[in-house]
């Protein structure tokens, strides 16, 4: 292989830590003929695949390339795959695939031409991956990767190892953080800046703002054929959401503020959701996950909320954002007609220490999720426990 890309791979592997694996590491089908990992910028997709290569390449011939490397200004993915296969290559990893023009078409050709070559790709922009993934739907499974759970934060930044708990165990008040009697300070640290694996970086605030700027001013406008100025207006909308009580969008007034037609706003919100900037809580009218009517809009995670909302960040919004963000990875979460959230036949009301049980009085199976309590009892569950699911 070309010395440029082999040297680049070695340099990346040298910098890759091996002590902590994201939750998705054990969930993806590493031996599949072709698969992708997509998700918001900054959640650790590149690190995860480099860890896998570092830990398995003694037994398999592997190649890692980044689609935005200067090498690809004069070389194609197909040529790279052809050469690698001729040299006995077994597994090709293509990072940042969305930055490569016609990526979907070339991956299809590689799949059809080299049946013995396993191909894995990542994309930081969920938007472009979704646009191209339809062409690969019969060939490649695509896994969606989220940011850190509270449990992963504890292990990565505090060295505290906590088992994964099921929802049933959490609702039975069995969740515990070994050796920690007072989990609330740890939860509040996570809420403020714990969702991204780069949270301990000295330039964390700047890095997170870069994630937001790239997503809102480059990724979404490129995907949706909108102007960069419209992207900047949408970025202002993020601050409005951060500082609001749990936010039900009124399309007419938002359209007037942003200066766009109300008819395009639902599409813009969907782009922002797929890009990992917001979460949209829907009702059950669609019958299929992600199809129902949007009842509330949250920022995607609490780290975004604190960065953009500052001291004006609404604590009720933070609590609901945390619950929705952590639960949605493995559960279908919808809005409740009588309370905050529903998961299956269960109803959840989220609040602070003084939250009462009035909203769940008529629920078939209702739970009060309280911030500011260390341990629960009966159907009252501490908020922090819902961060231990993955």
């Amino acid at each position: 292989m070309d010395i440029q890309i082999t040297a680049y791979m070695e340099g990346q592997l040298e910098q890759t830590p091996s002590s902590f694996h994201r939750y998705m590491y054990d969930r993806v089908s590493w031996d599949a003929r072709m698969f992708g990992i997509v998700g918001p910028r900054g959640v650790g997709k590149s690190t995860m695949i480099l860890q896998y290569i570092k830990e398995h390449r003694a037994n398999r011939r592997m190649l890692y390339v980044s689609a935005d490397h200067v090498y690809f200004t004069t070389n194609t993915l197909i040529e790279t795959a052809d050469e690698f296969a001729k040299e006995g290559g077994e597994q090709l990893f293509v990072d940042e695939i969305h930055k490569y023009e016609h990526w979907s078409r070339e991956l299809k050709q590689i799949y059809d031409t080299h049946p013995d070559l396993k191909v894995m790709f990542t994309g930081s922009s969920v938007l472009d991956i979704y646009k191209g993934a339809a062409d690969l739907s019969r060939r490649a499974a695509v896994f969606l990767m989220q940011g850190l759970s509270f449990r992963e934060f504890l292990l990565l930044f505090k060295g505290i190892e906590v088992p994964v708990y099921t929802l049933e165990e959490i609702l039975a008040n069995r969740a515990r953080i070994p050796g920690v009697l007072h989990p609330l300070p740890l939860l509040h640290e996570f809420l403020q800046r714990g969702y991204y694996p780069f949270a301990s970086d000295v330039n964390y605030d700047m890095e997170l703002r870069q994630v937001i700027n790239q997503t809102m001013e480059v990724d979404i406008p490129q995907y949706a054929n909108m102007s960069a100025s419209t992207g900047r207006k949408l970025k202002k909308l993020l601050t409005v959401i951060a500082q609001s009580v749990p936010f039900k969008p009124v399309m007419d007034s938002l359209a007037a503020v942003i200066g766009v037609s109300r008819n395009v706003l639902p599409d813009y919100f969907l782009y922002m959701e797929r890009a990992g900037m917001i979460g949209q809580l829907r009702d059950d009218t669609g019958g299929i996950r992600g199809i129902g009517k949007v009842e509330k809009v949250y920022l995607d995670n609490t780290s975004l909320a604190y960065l953009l909302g500052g001291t004006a960040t609404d604590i009720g919004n933070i609590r609901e954002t945390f619950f929705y963000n952590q639960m949605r990875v493995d559960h279908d979460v919808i809005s409740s007609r009588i309370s905050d959230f529903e998961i299956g036949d269960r109803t959840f009301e989220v609040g602070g220490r003084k939250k009462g049980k009035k909203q769940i009085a008529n629920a078939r199976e209702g739970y009060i999720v309280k911030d500011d309590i260390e341990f629960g009892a009966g159907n009252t569950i501490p908020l922090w426990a819902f961060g231990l699911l993955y």
Side-chain angles (χ1 to χ4, degrees):
M1 290 306 303
D2 188 285
I3 191 66
Q4 283 186 79
I5 53 174
T6 54
Y8 178 74
M9 177 177 76
E10 294 301 330
Q12 294 299 303
L13 291 171
E14 188 68 30
Q15 300 172 46
T16 301
S18 299
S19 56
F20 169 79
H21 289 161
R22 289 299 323 277
Y23 77 99
M24 189 59 75
Y25 190 94
D26 293 323
R27 295 191 181 191
V28 299
S29 307
W30 292 105
D31 284 325
R33 271 197 64 193
M34 181 176 286
F35 73 94
I37 300 174
V38 301
R41 290 176 176 272
V43 296
K45 300 180 298 298
S46 301
T47 298
M48 189 175 77
I49 63 170
L50 286 163
Q51 286 174 332
Y52 182 81
I53 296 169
K54 196 171 183 177
E55 293 159 17
H56 292 84
R57 67 174 179 157
N59 304 314
R60 186 177 297 169
R61 188 161 169 74
M62 299 175 170
L63 177 66
Y64 167 88
V65 298
S66 181
D68 63 349
H69 194 282
V70 66
Y71 168 83
F72 288 108
T73 58
T74 55
N75 296 272
T76 67
L77 270 177
I78 292 173
E79 291 167 343
T80 304
D82 288 346
E83 184 180 349
F84 183 53
K86 287 173 185 174
E87 295 179 1
E90 298 173 77
Q91 202 159 13
L92 174 64
F93 297 83
V94 187
D95 206 4
E96 304 277 9
I97 191 74
H98 59 280
K99 296 182 179 178
Y100 184 93
E101 194 174 7
H102 307 309
W103 63 269
S104 181
R105 186 170 66 197
E106 293 203 20
L107 284 184
K108 274 199 302 181
Q109 185 168 329
I110 293 169
Y111 182 96
D112 295 337
T113 306
H114 299 288
D116 294 330
L117 181 64
K118 294 178 170 65
V119 181
M120 180 268 166
F121 59 90
T122 73
S124 292
S125 168
V126 182
L127 305 165
D128 284 328
I129 293 294
Y130 274 105
K131 205 170 187 178
D135 294 333
L136 288 169
S137 58
R138 289 183 295 106
R139 295 169 175 83
V142 177
F143 298 89
L144 175 60
M145 182 166 156
Q146 306 278 13
L148 296 176
S149 65
F150 178 45
R151 175 187 163 275
E152 289 182 300
F153 164 83
L154 291 172
L155 180 57
L156 178 59
F157 296 115
K158 305 298 179 181
I160 301 171
E161 193 163 349
V162 184
V164 171
Y165 286 94
T166 65
L167 179 56
E168 286 67 30
E169 288 171 329
I170 290 170
L171 297 182
N173 273 306
R174 294 182 197 147
R176 296 290 184 273
I177 301 175
V180 174
L181 293 176
H182 305 293
L184 293 178
L186 293 168
L187 173 66
H188 295 154
E189 184 179 345
F190 171 81
L191 294 176
Q192 290 184 39
R193 54 181 295 156
Y195 188 67
Y196 294 92
F198 56 86
S200 63
D201 290 3
V202 174
N203 297 318
Y204 163 78
D205 282 11
M206 184 178 71
E207 289 179 55
L208 186 50
R209 289 191 187 279
Q210 287 174 347
V211 166
I212 297 168
N213 292 341
Q214 281 290 110
T215 302
M216 301 303 296
E217 296 181 14
V218 178
D219 293 345
I220 293 177
Q222 281 181 355
Y223 177 83
N225 297 319
M226 68 174 68
S227 67
S229 63
T230 303
R232 286 191 289 273
K233 289 177 182 177
L234 290 181
K235 192 171 72 173
K236 292 179 183 176
L237 179 58
L238 293 179
T239 303
V240 174
I241 297 171
Q243 296 178 349
S244 302
V245 296
F247 181 79
K248 183 163 184 175
V250 180
M251 292 303 179
D252 288 330
S253 58
L254 286 176
V257 169
I258 297 174
V260 298
S261 165
R262 76 174 306 282
N263 295 328
V264 302
L265 269 183
D267 286 339
Y268 288 178
F269 273 83
L270 183 60
Y271 304 151
M272 291 161 67
E273 181 178 42
R274 283 187 168 176
M277 288 290 104
I278 64 171
Q280 298 190 95
L281 181 68
R282 296 168 172 86
D283 65 17
D284 61 358
T285 56
I288 302 172
R289 184 179 187 181
I291 300 296
K293 178 185 174 187
V294 174
E295 289 296 326
K296 291 180 184 176
V297 177
Y298 303 96
L299 287 188
D300 178 78
N301 59 79
T302 59
S303 294
L304 284 177
Y306 273 110
L307 182 78
L308 293 170
T311 56
T313 304
D314 179 77
I315 187 59
N317 199 333
I318 289 290
R319 291 164 177 156
E320 291 188 28
T321 298
F322 171 79
F323 181 89
Y324 182 42
N325 169 274
Q326 299 281 288
M327 293 300 300
R328 69 183 183 197
V329 170
D330 289 322
H331 297 86
D332 290 335
V333 186
I334 62 172
S335 65
S336 169
R337 290 182 174 86
I338 60 174
S339 187
D340 290 326
F341 302 99
E342 282 184 14
I343 300 172
D345 293 330
R346 294 163 170 146
T347 301
F348 297 86
E349 177 73 15
V350 180
R353 178 191 291 274
K354 296 181 180 179
K355 171 63 68 174
K357 297 187 176 183
K358 184 173 71 172
Q359 283 91 342
I360 63 167
N362 297 318
R364 182 185 304 179
E365 185 180 341
Y367 295 89
I368 299 296
V369 180
K370 289 190 179 184
D371 189 12
D372 301 326
I373 64 170
E374 295 182 325
F375 302 100
N379 66 344
T380 298
I381 318 294
L383 180 64
W384 59 263
F386 293 90
L388 308 181
L389 284 156
Y390 69 93

